[in-house]
Amino acid sequence: MLHVRDIERSVSFYSVLLGFRTVFRLHADGSGTPEAAFLRAEGPTNDHDLAFLQMDDPAATVPPPQR
């Protein structure tokens, strides 16, 4: 699973450039905006090979370790 900021952009990249196919999208809040997408590579019969989960908040900054 990959955490991404823009599911549509990520799905487009993997679909257009790498040949992945979308097999399922999750709209957890009932809206039309996908919050997760599951993709399958060309050939395999797996349920999915790649999953994206949209993260709305900026990544948390991690302070440097204390010495």
Side-chain angles (χ1 to χ4, degrees), residues 43-62:
T45 57
N46 301 329
D47 178 62
H48 67 276
D49 296 301
L50 183 60
F52 295 118
L53 178 62
Q54 184 155 314
M55 305 301 288
D56 292 328
D57 296 330
T61 55
V62 177

Side-chain angles (χ1 to χ4, degrees), residues 2 7 11 14-15 17 19-20 23 25 29 31 35 40 44-45 49-50 55-56 64:
L2 298 175
I7 281 187
V11 167
Y14 279 86
S15 298
L17 295 177
F20 281 73
V23 292
R25 288 180 183 249
D29 65 358
S31 73
E35 297 173 358
R40 184 181 308 152
T45 57
D49 296 301
L50 183 60
M55 305 301 288
D56 292 328

Side-chain angles (χ1 to χ4, degrees), residues 8-27:
E8 295 305 326
R9 184 176 177 201
S10 299
V11 167
S12 178
F13 175 83
Y14 279 86
S15 298
V16 172
L17 295 177
L18 301 176
F20 281 73
R21 184 172 55 93
T22 302
V23 292
F24 185 74
R25 288 180 183 249
L26 176 64
H27 308 273

